Amino acid sequence: MRVREDPTRLDDAFARLGERVREGALPAAALAIGDGEGMIRSETFSSKSKPIDPNSNFFLASVTKPIISTLFMQLVEEGRVGLHQPIADFEPRLRDKLDGHETITPWHVMTHTSGLDDFDPRDIGRKRPSGADMTTHVIESPLRFEPGTRWEYVSASFYLLTLIIERLTGEGYREFLDERLQGPLGMHATFDPRRAGRPIVAVHGIGVDSFLTRYLVLRYMARAALPGGGLFGTLDDMARFGAALLRPRIVSGKHLPLRAQTIAEMAEDQTKGEVVGKHDDDEVPVHHGLGWGKPTLMRDVPGSKNVFSHGGASGTRLWVDPDAGLVFVFFTNRWASERSVETEALRGTYEALRP
């Protein structure tokens, strides 16, 4: 990629992001640009006088979803579970309901077309439910619609993927994640950042500003290990993951993170606009991959039709463009932040890629 040969081409994109943070558009931001070889350039920015450590752990939030989906797809590659196999084959509580729950598959979960009811985020803050509590809620709540007939974003449903992982492997999904994905790729993302030995960037706008409250929330998050949105990670973690998606490695005889054709299948538009979901209160046709969004098919942003990406409510984004050979990682720390600064950094990056 041209910017690997000359990283100064990215100067304007990084400089503009720094300006936006200094202007107060965001309390902090971090940007990393990479390709299939790995990181090319990264930088952090803070509106405070104290700079952010480049190795700081940001709350990845829903960027956890494609990571867990990738881990799950390793079992699909190995023939241990089918993408369209009923999850009820692994969970009797689903099999016994006979109301549509018994037809839900991993494909439905990863494309957000399952019809399952999510756990209210406000109740997560108030009740601090365990992973078992949220799994039970997903299984026992009435379906919101017939599986496969529409799109509705659900986070708690990803506990069903980790339930299958644990039933098939006999080990906890956190350990399986470290063993089968993170360790071989050199990633150190974690559900428990308190023990990671790295600074933690506090998220603004969720009412946990005191040190004690933050500590209690982190302790709860570590215990719940939300597979739909609980990981903390660094720029380097996401750059490594993105690079491996562009150019899979063979480690100890295994394709990591997956075979190229499986990665392409996950990145493919699975829903093809044939289901609708709500966007800004409007019903719109949805394009979605397996654990990945298809942003360039949904809105006016730069990039090829083959882009696959995922963001998080904490202001995080992992963006992979196979046609451009680009890995774009954007972090901030404002809950439900408006995305214009991120989009500006993305446009600046694509400007730098031009001949």
Side-chain angles (χ1 to χ4, degrees):
M1 190 163 66
R2 185 179 293 267
V3 294
R4 176 167 287 282
E5 300 166 4
D6 182 12
T8 62
R9 294 172 66 92
L10 294 163
D11 284 352
D12 288 348
F14 279 88
R16 180 56 181 155
L17 179 57
E19 289 174 8
R20 297 288 277 141
V21 172
R22 287 190 295 273
E23 292 166 359
L26 292 171
L31 177 62
I33 305 300
D35 59 12
E37 295 180 43
M39 184 87 78
I40 294 173
R41 180 173 174 178
S42 67
E43 199 166 341
T44 59
F45 306 92
S46 175
S47 58
K48 309 294 184 183
S49 57
K50 183 179 179 181
I52 293 176
D53 188 315
N55 294 314
S56 293
N57 267 315
F58 281 76
F59 180 41
L60 300 180
S62 285
V63 178
T64 307
K65 289 181 175 71
I67 296 173
I68 293 296
S69 296
T70 299
L71 183 71
F72 181 84
M73 290 299 289
Q74 290 185 350
L75 298 180
V76 174
E77 274 195 343
E78 294 169 7
R80 300 169 76 177
V81 57
L83 184 59
H84 299 282
Q85 181 177 359
I87 299 174
D89 288 354
F90 303 91
E91 176 47 65
R93 289 177 294 174
L94 286 170
R95 185 171 62 241
D96 295 341
K97 290 182 73 66
L98 301 176
D99 61 355
H101 280 81
E102 73 280 4
T103 68
I104 295 168
T105 68
W107 186 91
H108 290 127
V109 170
M110 287 186 277
T111 59
H112 296 280
T113 59
S114 67
L116 293 165
D117 188 52
D118 211 350
F119 204 98
D120 190 325
R122 293 168 297 183
D123 285 340
I124 292 177
R126 289 193 296 258
K127 300 178 180 178
R128 306 280 173 85
S130 67
D133 292 334
M134 283 186 268
T135 304
T136 296
H137 172 86
V138 165
I139 290 171
E140 295 187 351
S141 296
L143 289 179
R144 295 175 60 82
F145 52 84
E146 181 184 346
T149 60
R150 64 176 288 117
W151 184 93
E152 189 171 274
Y153 193 77
V154 182
S155 291
S157 61
F158 278 69
Y159 274 112
L160 298 182
L161 299 185
T162 54
L163 179 151
I164 294 173
I165 289 171
E166 294 189 339
R167 298 276 166 85
L168 288 175
T169 67
E171 61 181 308
Y173 63 89
R174 285 170 282 188
E175 292 74 24
F176 191 65
L177 173 65
D178 290 341
E179 172 193 324
R180 292 288 299 269
L181 189 62
Q182 297 212 117
L185 293 181
M187 297 167 59
H188 298 93
T190 178
F191 286 108
D192 189 356
R194 299 170 303 161
R195 297 182 173 86
R198 296 183 177 87
I200 303 167
V201 180
V203 179
H204 295 247
I206 53 174
V208 292
D209 294 333
S210 75
F211 173 79
L212 177 60
T213 306
R214 284 202 304 270
Y215 178 82
L216 292 174
V217 168
L218 290 172
R219 185 170 68 176
Y220 164 69
M221 293 290 288
R223 186 173 68 251
L226 302 164
L231 281 170
F232 292 74
T234 65
L235 290 173
D236 183 67
D237 286 331
M238 294 301 96
R240 285 174 180 270
F241 184 50
L245 292 166
L246 282 178
R247 190 176 299 172
R249 287 87 166 112
I250 296 180
V251 179
S252 300
K254 291 184 177 293
H255 293 258
L256 287 168
L258 294 161
R259 294 181 182 276
Q261 56 265 40
T262 306
I263 295 169
E265 181 181 12
M266 292 185 71
E268 183 183 344
D269 179 15
Q270 297 284 325
T271 57
K272 299 178 173 62
E274 295 170 359
V275 294
V276 298
K278 279 198 171 180
H279 179 71
D280 294 336
D281 294 325
D282 294 324
E283 294 277 335
V284 297
V286 174
H287 301 268
H288 207 278
L290 294 174
W292 291 102
K294 297 294 293 177
T296 57
L297 301 182
M298 297 289 293
R299 55 193 175 96
D300 181 23
V301 286
S304 74
K305 67 178 182 179
N306 293 316
V307 165
F308 52 102
S309 174
H310 213 293
S314 54
T316 50
R317 171 71 60 186
L318 174 59
W319 176 285
V320 182
D321 189 338
D323 291 10
L326 171 67
V327 176
F328 171 93
V329 183
F330 183 91
F331 291 164
T332 187
N333 62 330
R334 177 178 289 161
W335 192 258
S337 65
E338 192 264 331
R339 295 280 184 175
S340 62
V341 178
E342 172 197 311
T343 301
E344 186 177 28
L346 184 65
R347 293 189 187 281
T349 300
Y350 275 95
E351 286 286 337
L353 298 182
R354 289 183 177 178

